[in-house]
Amino acid sequence: MSIVFFDSGMGGITVLREALTLLPGQEFLYYADTGHVPYGKRTAEEVRSLVIRAVETIVQRERPRALVVACNTATSVAIESLRKISPFPVIGMEPAVKPALEHEKVSGRRVLVLATPLTLSQEKYSDLVSRLDSEGQVDSLPLPGLVDLVEQEDFRMDKARAYLQEAFSSLKREDYGTIVLGCTHFPFFKKEIASFFSPYADVIDGNKGTVLQLIRRLGPSPRAEREAPGPVVFMSSGDVDKDRGKFFRLMERYQGSR
């Protein structure tokens, strides 16, 4: 039985890398719904249907030990539906608003959440901010273009910086103490994002917290199948051979950038 990581494309690699570190020796299956990426520009109903269909495809292959929905957008619209139909643990993503606000409690500096348009438009996100942000410190900004750059393997610094320069042009960047990466694709550009803010600002994501929650759901000491890192089986809804090559290239790139 494998621990399954699901994403619309390749962003979930950033979460999987945490799992490979914290859960050595486990077997993993990564499913990328590349036939329908990106999710962030679709309707909630479309995404919910795509996610459920993809998970049904995965379950036809094997019964997961657990499923990590390594996609903030998919989590925001489909996580409750998945939990109702899945007999195994289902762990989702959540923008790291809580630790960001706790970090800025004393300073009073603002928090900026970066995510896809669909994640930011959902009730799940607005409820999260309403529940935690009593002082009105949180701002949000959609950055769908970064998803496209990762999926195209386009890491030209000048192109990323031009996109971010325009996106951040209306912000008072010096006001922000913590920037939250609310999309699993965005850590690929963590250094570029950080360069637009104060050197004292923190750029955080929810990836490690998600894997720690996975560990809690699996039990106190998940049994390692072997001492060496376990295998990662790759599946996709698109061109599997082409997508597999991209998957391992991006795995290597992300590991080298950390």
Side-chain angles (χ1 to χ4, degrees):
M1 295 171 65
S2 299
I3 300 169
V4 176
F5 280 72
F6 168 83
D7 184 34
S8 60
M10 302 298 170
I13 286 170
T14 64
V15 193
L16 176 61
R17 283 294 343 170
E18 293 285 353
L20 289 169
T21 300
L22 296 174
L23 285 167
Q26 301 300 314
E27 294 187 356
F28 297 96
L29 185 152
Y30 188 98
Y31 186 100
D33 193 12
T34 54
H36 305 100
V37 69
Y39 279 178
K41 300 175 186 178
R42 294 180 179 273
T43 67
E45 292 74 19
E46 282 181 302
V47 172
R48 188 177 298 110
S49 176
L50 290 170
V51 172
I52 291 172
R53 188 189 316 166
V55 172
E56 289 173 346
T57 299
I58 294 166
V59 172
Q60 288 174 4
R61 175 191 171 102
E62 66 174 282
R63 182 174 181 270
R65 184 177 176 187
L67 170 66
V68 178
V69 183
C71 173
N72 290 80
T73 301
T75 297
S76 67
V77 300
I79 195 72
E80 297 306 325
S81 298
L82 286 176
R83 285 173 175 158
K84 288 177 182 177
I85 65 174
S86 302
F88 40 80
V90 179
I91 294 90
M93 302 292 301
E94 182 176 88
V97 174
K98 183 176 181 179
L101 285 171
E102 288 175 348
H103 186 66
E104 300 302 339
K105 185 181 297 184
V106 175
S107 73
R109 294 178 300 179
R110 301 195 65 75
V111 170
L112 179 63
V113 179
L114 308 175
T116 67
L118 185 54
T119 294
L120 296 177
S121 71
Q122 292 304 295
E123 186 177 346
K124 183 177 177 62
Y125 175 72
S126 59
D127 286 349
L128 173 70
V129 175
S130 296
R131 177 165 45 88
L132 298 174
D133 185 24
S134 60
E135 301 298 323
Q137 290 174 256
V138 176
D139 297 320
S140 57
L141 183 70
L143 291 178
L146 291 188
V147 177
D148 296 331
L149 291 178
V150 173
E151 294 300 324
Q152 295 162 9
E153 296 184 83
D154 188 346
F155 294 100
R156 289 174 291 173
M157 185 177 296
D158 58 339
K159 188 167 184 178
R161 286 191 61 81
Y163 174 76
L164 293 170
Q165 180 72 52
E166 182 176 358
F168 295 152
S169 61
S170 62
L171 299 178
K172 293 181 66 176
R173 287 175 276 167
E174 65 275 12
D175 290 350
Y176 294 102
T178 303
I179 295 85
V180 177
L181 305 184
C183 172
T184 56
H185 286 78
F186 293 0
F188 278 98
F189 293 100
K190 182 175 181 178
K191 291 178 181 177
E192 288 79 4
I193 291 169
S195 71
F196 283 88
F197 296 89
S198 163
Y200 303 104
D202 291 316
V203 181
I204 66 173
D205 59 59
N207 294 353
K208 185 173 182 179
T210 298
V211 175
L212 292 176
Q213 175 65 5
L214 167 65
I215 292 171
R216 286 190 287 269
R217 295 295 304 278
L218 289 174
S221 300
R223 182 176 65 87
E225 302 296 334
R226 57 187 62 77
E227 292 183 6
V232 179
V233 175
F234 179 82
M235 294 175 62
S236 83
S237 61
D239 184 329
V240 178
D241 291 335
K242 181 180 177 181
D243 290 341
R244 184 182 291 109
K246 179 195 291 188
F247 171 77
F248 285 107
R249 287 193 301 273
L250 289 174
M251 281 270 285
E252 184 175 358
R253 168 175 279 275
Y254 183 64
Q255 178 65 18
S257 69
R258 300 179 73 192

